[in-house]
Amino acid sequence: MFRWLETFGRYSLDVHGSGIDGGDMWDRFGELHRHATRDQDGFLTALRAVVAGDQGGFATFGAARLAWEMYGGDTLRIPAALPLIDAGIEFKRSRGLPTALLTGYEMQRVNQLREQRD
């Protein structure tokens, strides 16, 4: 799973320039979605455990993207998903990517965190 998440992270960051076949990425989603909807907290806990040693690399970003793909707009209301989303945002920031390259849901999370601090 770690290797797939790493590949999915690379693909998600640069769909066109990664050289990764998107079909290979999406083939796995049906099975993952069944697990994700059957046991939301268990799925997210397992996902965090898989990337725990990644230290903010592509697998971490892939896990954040996977959480979003599984739960969509609800992701930002699922406490177990927030550490993954936060790690995905940090992944982009640590690479010096501009705020303009954050997705809509990543910007929503950044704003949530700002409101919590203020």
Side-chain angles (χ1 to χ4, degrees):
M1 184 69 174
F2 182 89
R3 292 179 90 190
W4 183 85
L5 287 169
E6 184 176 47
T7 302
F8 186 59
R10 289 179 187 282
Y11 171 78
S12 295
L13 187 64
D14 187 3
V15 172
H16 302 291
S18 68
I20 298 167
D21 179 3
D24 292 343
M25 295 291 93
W26 300 105
D27 285 346
R28 212 172 207 184
F29 272 64
E31 179 184 334
L32 290 170
H33 190 263
R34 280 189 293 282
H35 292 297
T37 55
R38 191 175 318 132
D39 180 9
Q40 185 179 80
D41 285 337
F43 179 80
L44 291 165
T45 298
L47 200 54
R48 287 193 318 269
V50 168
V51 298
D54 186 37
Q55 300 177 359
F58 281 98
T60 299
F61 182 65
R65 289 291 306 149
L66 181 59
W68 177 258
E69 293 296 336
M70 294 295 109
Y71 305 112
D74 290 337
T75 306
L76 298 180
R77 293 184 292 278
I78 302 170
L82 297 179
L84 291 170
I85 300 303
D86 294 347
I89 294 166
E90 183 54 34
F91 167 85
K92 286 183 170 181
R93 285 184 170 159
S94 71
R95 282 158 179 71
L97 298 176
T99 302
L101 290 181
L102 293 178
T103 64
Y105 77 87
E106 289 168 334
M107 281 305 302
Q108 284 180 310
R109 179 61 180 155
V110 167
N111 290 332
Q112 283 178 347
L113 292 169
R114 274 192 199 127
E115 289 172 8
Q116 289 173 4
R117 283 190 300 260
D118 293 340

